[in-house]
Amino acid sequence: MIWNEHAECMERSSLVELQNQRLHEMVSRLYYNVPFYRKKFQEQGIEPNDIHSIDQLKELPLTTKQDLRDNYPFGLFAVSQREIIRLHASSGTTGKPTVGGYTRRDIEIWSEVVARSLYAAGVDHNDIVHVSYGYGLFTGGLGIHQGAQKIGATVIPASGGNTKKQLQIMHDFGSTVLACTPSYALYLADTMKEIGMNPEELKLRRGIFGAEPWTEEMRKEIEQKLHLKALDIYGLTEIIGPGVAMECEHQKGLHVFEDHFIPEIIDPLTLQPVAEGEIGELVITTVTKEGMPLLRYRTRDLTSMTTQKCACGRTTARLHKLMGRTDDMLIIRGVNVFPSQIESVLLEISETEPHYQLIVDRVNNLDVLEILVEVNESFFSDEIRQLESLSHKIKTAIESTLGISAKIRLVEPRTIERTEGKSKHVIDNRFH
Amino acid sequence: MFLQQLSLFLENKAGRLTEVTQTLSKHGINITAFSIADSEDFGILRMIVDQHNTALKALKEEHFVVHSTNVVGFIIPNQPGKLYDALQHLDKTTIDIEYLYAFAHNGDAAVIVKTNNDELTANILKENGYSLIEKHPFDPDEMPTE
């Protein structure tokens, strides 16, 4: 199903024309309304009228999370506070929170892109959408809520926490769609097993999962445990929240709503664009946003992009399932390692749960990686030999995928900390 | 034909064994025999208890990774050379021993053995005149098997 066929299935040439025009207007707004950008443009000798094409994007300055911090809280807003009708913020785990300010039109656009996302997942007004993303400053809860409301679905604003109660509500109210983080979806599945609830007792048929990177294997596991089709939604507070890009039912990459957000993929070290299909850092320009428009914002998310047409009929560019974050990247003995790669390896090994923790340490000036892996309860054998061969199997698989050796420690199920939001996968003790 | 043993996966973590024994103690379960196999990071605790099913349920409720395993239990006289005699019968075959432990039993010795073919092991021992322990002597949970 396609919510806005005009915008989502536009001929590429018309889309680029629209983007060119919107980029031009955006650069003017930035130049005249945001001192931070005006200064940057002047330093580079760029006049607003110089920019007419998205081909010129690569000449324009990038925006980083640090720029947002430096201008905290409202320094990058392009309108007066009078016109801002909502504020959101992302959790500031590494410093001050990141703020997003929305005008009335921004909220409308946000609802529109989430509506498109839900339709892409096959969700419509007949559905009961259970939103277990947190409501509050976090964009997840309200973001999905507004979009689900726009398409006329029945919304259950469950928010996060109180898992058993949520299961009861899903059961009693007949929720057909679950929206939450993928790790919370697995946590729900674990809890269902614990209280003896069968997935057949629920009516769930679609999952809208996002706010953290997850793998294909994790998707398979969620689909199998919850009996639904799991789809990936992408977004970030800085840009708008969930709804920047969304998978369609073909599950072949996330469609970027390019009439609002222009994606680029750059090499995180050289900052130069990479070739189509190559992995790099996702950079987004918000061409229609009024409250806090951002030019070439470095998302720190790693992915690749294709502009090939999708079987669903949409013509928009698609992102590969997010592969991790540039700042999650661990450099271990000179090798770049992403936690998501390790997760993929573990999920291919059926005897383990996809719950793991990486502990990085430095012993005698050498980086040491230890991976804690939960053993699957049904696999446990009382023969040491079998458990040792399992740990050897994991070690070999990690070595062949990552090219580094790791020490594997099998741990009891449910002992690695689960958070009801984003899971904590890495403990780096090297720089303490 | 087999005796039921509890097998637990335990991380090498301070206090973990104490927690197991606490659970058993709370339910009034007596441990007749146990052995621990350990590797660098984890151990497997194997136990013969007087109320197997009650213990299994109690440990599961406390989220221990615990399984019920069939093992072969047999009686030998508590005298030098008797284990050697028994094992010689197994050596003549293709049987490989995974693990073995023993405990005192009414003045005799009881041997618990797990092999790559438990059925064959039990049959060979039986044919050679060893009496098998098929249920725990004091287990009120267990009904006689024959």
Side-chain angles (χ1 to χ4, degrees), chain A residues 20 33 222 272 302 339:
Chain A
N20 289 342
N33 300 341
I222 293 173
Q272 293 307 306
L302 292 160

Side-chain angles (χ1 to χ4, degrees), chain A residues 307-319:
Chain A
T307 49
Q308 280 171 19
K309 201 173 162 180
C310 179
C312 68
R314 289 177 183 80
T315 50
T316 43
R318 278 172 293 150
L319 304 176

Side-chain angles (χ1 to χ4, degrees), chain A residues 168-188:
Chain A
Q168 192 201 331
I169 284 175
M170 261 184 249
H171 175 269
D172 297 350
F173 294 3
S175 311
T176 58
V177 178
L178 170 65
C180 62
T181 60
S183 52
Y184 190 61
L186 279 178
Y187 184 80
L188 275 167

Side-chain angles (χ1 to χ4, degrees), chain A residues 145-402:
Chain A
H145 184 107
Q146 293 156 186
Q149 202 161 282
K150 189 172 176 82
I151 64 167
T154 308
V155 189
I156 304 175
S159 197
N162 207 344
T163 305
K164 285 177 188 165
K165 182 83 179 288
Q166 297 228 18
L167 285 169
Q168 192 201 331
I169 284 175
M170 261 184 249
H171 175 269
D172 297 350
F173 294 3
S175 311
T176 58
V177 178
L178 170 65
C180 62
T181 60
S183 52
Y184 190 61
L186 279 178
Y187 184 80
L188 275 167
D190 282 354
T191 309
M192 277 170 70
K193 201 174 163 194
E194 189 185 308
I195 62 171
M197 185 187 268
N198 189 314
E200 288 304 317
E201 294 171 48
L202 300 180
K203 294 199 176 115
L204 293 177
R205 54 178 208 91
R206 290 290 186 274
I208 313 288
F209 303 128
E212 62 190 15
W214 49 305
T215 57
E216 281 303 330
E217 289 82 4
M218 200 164 165
R219 169 173 8 234
K220 275 183 221 146
E221 182 173 9
I222 293 173
E223 292 189 333
Q224 179 223 321
K225 286 186 169 170
L226 289 176
H227 294 199
L228 48 69
K229 190 166 196 172
L231 297 154
D232 195 357
I233 189 164
Y234 175 75
L236 58 170
T237 309
E238 299 91 309
I239 299 303
I240 202 156
V244 174
M246 175 73 197
E247 265 181 343
C248 67
E249 293 192 88
H250 294 275
Q251 299 177 319
K252 291 268 164 59
L254 292 86
H255 291 272
V256 184
F257 301 115
E258 281 186 281
D259 49 331
H260 298 294
F261 315 110
I262 302 180
E264 297 169 84
I265 308 286
I266 64 165
D267 180 316
L269 297 174
T270 66
L271 307 182
Q272 293 307 306
V274 302
E276 177 158 334
E278 273 178 33
I279 299 174
E281 180 178 348
L282 174 65
V283 167
I284 296 175
T285 299
T286 61
V287 278
T288 51
K289 207 134 164 270
E290 295 177 335
M292 193 177 79
L294 294 180
L295 185 63
R296 303 191 77 207
Y297 182 66
R298 294 186 60 180
T299 63
R300 303 176 314 288
D301 286 317
L302 292 160
T303 183
S304 62
M305 188 165 70
T306 173
T307 49
Q308 280 171 19
K309 201 173 162 180
C310 179
C312 68
R314 289 177 183 80
T315 50
T316 43
R318 278 172 293 150
L319 304 176
H320 186 282
K321 218 163 175 338
L322 281 282
M323 299 168 193
R325 311 208 63 166
T326 53
D327 43 15
D328 280 347
M329 186 172 86
L330 291 161
I331 303 179
I332 298 173
R333 273 169 264 149
V335 178
N336 295 356
V337 174
F338 299 103
S340 56
Q341 293 174 295
I342 289 167
E343 186 172 338
S344 301
V345 172
L346 292 179
L347 282 156
E348 278 165 25
I349 297 172
S350 56
E351 297 94 333
T352 57
E353 299 280 340
H355 298 293
Y356 65 94
Q357 194 163 50
L358 310 182
I359 300 174
V360 195
D361 233 313
R362 188 161 282 172
V363 180
N364 299 328
N365 291 319
L366 194 67
D367 296 337
V368 188
L369 171 64
E370 182 176 34
I371 308 177
L372 271 56
V373 183
E374 288 188 5
V375 178
N376 190 320
E377 210 148 334
S378 52
F379 170 75
F380 166 66
S381 133
D382 85 326
E383 284 160 32
I384 278 241
R385 190 143 42 101
Q386 252 178 52
L387 290 170
E388 279 179 341
S389 80
L390 169 62
S391 106
H392 184 75
K393 185 171 157 190
I394 300 171
K395 192 177 157 68
T396 314
I398 297 279
E399 265 182 41
S400 72
T401 313
L402 272 63

